[in-house]
Amino acid sequence: DALDSPAVSSGQSMALKVGDTLYTESDAVMQVGARLGGLWRALSWLRWVPRPLRNFGYTLLQKNRYRIFGKRETCRLPTSEERARFME
């Protein structure tokens, strides 16, 4: 089971379970993007890129995310509109 993999259990890789289907790495990113809608839906277009190449890009971004996006001491709190999108 992919949820038991060291990368997922350590928080170093993304996993999304929808029903009985488990998505990991770039597949999970595409599924989340499609569900968020708007411009995020464009991430689902990556399905046309071969999975090994997508996952290579995912790994590069994952390993360099703090260098690219920065790291904060605290997390931003979601707005009330954003909170409405979360499940209780």
Side-chain angles (χ1 to χ4, degrees), residues 11-74:
Q12 296 299 310
S13 184
M14 183 174 179
L16 172 69
K17 189 165 186 178
V18 179
D20 292 334
T21 305
L22 179 66
Y23 300 97
T24 59
E25 297 179 320
S26 64
D27 291 324
V29 171
M30 289 187 306
Q31 288 295 318
V32 169
R35 284 169 170 69
L36 286 174
L39 289 176
W40 292 107
R41 188 176 302 271
L43 290 172
S44 66
W45 299 342
L46 291 171
R47 71 180 173 273
W48 300 108
V49 176
R51 182 177 287 131
L53 188 57
R54 281 194 329 252
N55 285 342
F56 177 75
Y58 171 87
T59 300
L60 279 176
L61 185 61
Q62 179 264 330
K63 287 182 177 179
N64 295 291
R65 67 187 181 270
Y66 294 132
R67 194 172 324 153
I68 296 167
F69 302 110
K71 186 174 181 178
R72 306 209 191 288
E73 293 296 319
T74 60

